[in-house]
Amino acid sequence: MVAVPTTDQSIDAAVHLHVEDVLAAYLSERRSELPELAATFARAVDHLTDFALRGGKRLRPTFAWWGWRAAGGDADGPLARTVLRTVSALELIQACALVHDDIMDASELRRGHPTVHVRFTEAHRAGGWLGEPERFGAAAAILLGDLALAWADDLFESAALEPAMRAAAREPWQAMRAEMFAGQYLDVLAQAEGDESQERALGVARLKTAAYTVERPLHLGVALAGADQGVVDAVRAFGTDLGVAFQLRDDVLGVYGDTEVTGKPAGDDLREGKRTLLVAIGLAYAERDGRHADAQLLRGALGDPDLTPRTIEQVRELMVEVGAVAELERRIERLTSSALAALDTAGLAEPGVTRLAELAVTATRRDR
């Protein structure tokens, strides 16, 4: 195990390393427990382990850790390791969400590597097995995503929390899981219905990303520290606005991001038919300006698996010309400002409050 750091300069890197250390040990332990008859499944679990440990910003446990610190948690105290083990479980929630999301979006790359369902599809094809390779790949990935969720709960419960801490932490933990699935459903429903409203796009951003990326991890952290309801409310307000801003930055990167940096193909959000806020604003502004042919170009690009680089570039130019990108940037700035204002009212302790403010800037100005 890595040492629990005691300096603010080293703590984020050490939290990252500690989370990966916990995950590697836990996944190895659980794999070894699988019965002998499930040896082939154990080898499949290796794909989940590789996915969970390869890359990732570890934002969720980092926000949870700094929530705990800001609400009075002592990095030098006896509870620090237990808290780090608890918040490490957030990464398995993330693994579940990403594996399932990639299936639903038919994504081929994640973090610069083939997605889990693509790996199993290729294994089926290479083995000359019976049935449809794609169907097998999806089925295997669904099961591994479900396993990640189950093991996230197990890891959460395995942390040696005091009864009062466990009871306080259980509320955000349970709410986070339900909100994540609700947001994912709203996302696929918006694609199916062709919903172009900004309200739906914001609702998806709030539930699918903001809740389980920032709001609930922060809620979990301050709950573990025994924060009162006033602190919880202020932190959740900070987390909600910041989490939505984080998703809006992701929306920009989904269209304009560099594949070498993001690890996903250029224009992937368009191919997947994502009804993001950027798309909703782009359509509304194109129609407002009488650019109906351009609006139809954008609608036609959504969900087109054969989208060409030329069409992607046309859509990019259109979004800039009608002012959709500039408007989204303004909203990101407003949400970040309102988040920081909420943070100021929370009555949190240093150095946690300063680090959370710094994370807010990092999360909304990133390039991946």
Side-chain angles (χ1 to χ4, degrees):
M1 289 285 186
V2 298
V4 176
T6 57
T7 65
D8 301 326
Q9 291 76 19
S10 66
I11 196 165
D12 280 358
V15 166
H16 189 121
L17 289 172
H18 190 96
V19 167
E20 294 194 348
D21 193 43
V22 169
L23 289 176
Y26 186 75
L27 291 168
S28 176
E29 175 189 347
R30 297 309 300 268
R31 184 192 190 281
S32 70
E33 294 170 355
L34 293 171
E36 193 64 31
L37 289 175
T40 53
F41 180 59
R43 290 193 291 273
V45 169
D46 291 340
H47 288 288
L48 175 62
T49 299
D50 178 64
F51 182 81
L53 297 179
R54 185 184 64 238
K57 295 177 282 292
R58 313 304 181 204
L59 271 178
R60 291 153 189 84
T62 299
F63 273 117
W65 169 261
W66 281 110
W68 181 70
R69 290 287 313 279
D74 183 3
D76 300 325
L79 290 175
R81 284 187 176 279
T82 299
V83 168
L84 282 167
R85 181 177 179 84
T86 304
V87 303
S88 294
L90 292 165
E91 284 299 298
L92 291 178
I93 293 281
Q94 165 77 338
C96 165
L98 294 181
V99 170
H100 286 171
D101 191 55
D102 286 340
I103 298 167
M104 287 180 271
D105 292 339
S107 298
E108 295 185 356
L109 289 178
R110 171 72 66 177
R111 298 169 181 165
H113 296 270
T115 51
V116 174
H117 69 278
V118 167
R119 285 189 178 195
F120 282 97
T121 297
E122 292 172 348
H124 183 288
R125 190 172 286 119
W129 300 339
L130 301 177
E132 301 173 8
E134 291 78 10
R135 186 170 181 178
F136 172 81
I142 288 169
L143 291 170
L144 288 177
D146 290 348
L147 184 66
L149 179 62
W151 282 357
D153 282 337
D154 291 348
L155 178 55
F156 175 80
E157 293 294 337
S158 75
L161 296 173
E162 299 170 358
M165 291 177 70
R166 187 177 302 283
R170 191 167 282 121
E171 177 192 346
W173 180 262
Q174 292 177 343
M176 174 184 60
R177 293 175 305 168
E179 289 162 350
M180 180 183 74
F181 288 122
Q184 184 65 70
Y185 175 74
L186 288 178
D187 189 18
V188 296
L189 181 64
Q191 294 179 52
E193 293 180 336
D195 193 325
E196 298 177 357
S197 69
Q198 296 181 37
E199 293 74 19
R200 173 63 67 84
L202 278 170
V204 170
R206 161 70 178 82
L207 287 173
K208 184 180 175 183
T209 301
Y212 97 102
T213 300
V214 186
E215 178 196 349
R216 293 301 186 180
L218 279 170
H219 184 182
L220 176 65
V222 299
L224 287 168
D228 62 30
Q229 192 59 48
V231 170
V232 169
D233 290 344
V235 163
R236 287 187 61 193
F238 166 75
T240 297
D241 283 356
L242 178 59
V244 173
F246 177 90
Q247 178 58 55
L248 299 189
R249 173 60 61 209
D250 206 51
D251 294 347
V252 175
L253 293 173
V255 177
Y256 295 92
D258 183 343
T259 300
E260 294 299 319
V261 176
T262 65
K264 295 189 71 175
D268 223 27
D269 278 5
L270 298 173
R271 290 190 187 87
E272 294 164 6
K274 295 282 188 184
R275 260 63 181 183
T276 64
L277 185 61
L278 177 62
V279 167
I281 294 172
L283 287 169
Y285 283 15
E287 296 286 8
R288 176 201 64 187
D289 296 343
R291 300 176 60 156
H292 306 301
D294 287 334
Q296 286 303 112
L297 170 71
L298 176 51
R299 289 189 181 96
L302 292 172
D304 181 0
D306 300 318
L307 201 58
T308 65
R310 180 175 180 276
T311 303
I312 291 173
E313 189 55 38
Q314 287 177 316
V315 169
R316 286 172 167 170
E317 292 173 358
L318 165 64
M319 300 270 225
V320 171
E321 290 170 4
V322 300
V325 175
E327 174 60 22
L328 207 70
E329 293 290 349
R330 285 191 290 270
R331 295 200 188 194
I332 291 171
E333 287 298 319
R334 287 199 298 268
L335 284 164
T336 304
S337 295
S338 61
L340 292 173
L343 184 64
D344 285 341
T345 70
L348 297 173
E350 293 290 1
V353 64
T354 294
R355 187 64 191 119
L356 287 174
E358 292 169 348
L359 284 169
V361 174
T362 301
T364 55
R365 297 180 182 175
R366 71 193 197 284
D367 59 0
R368 67 181 69 199

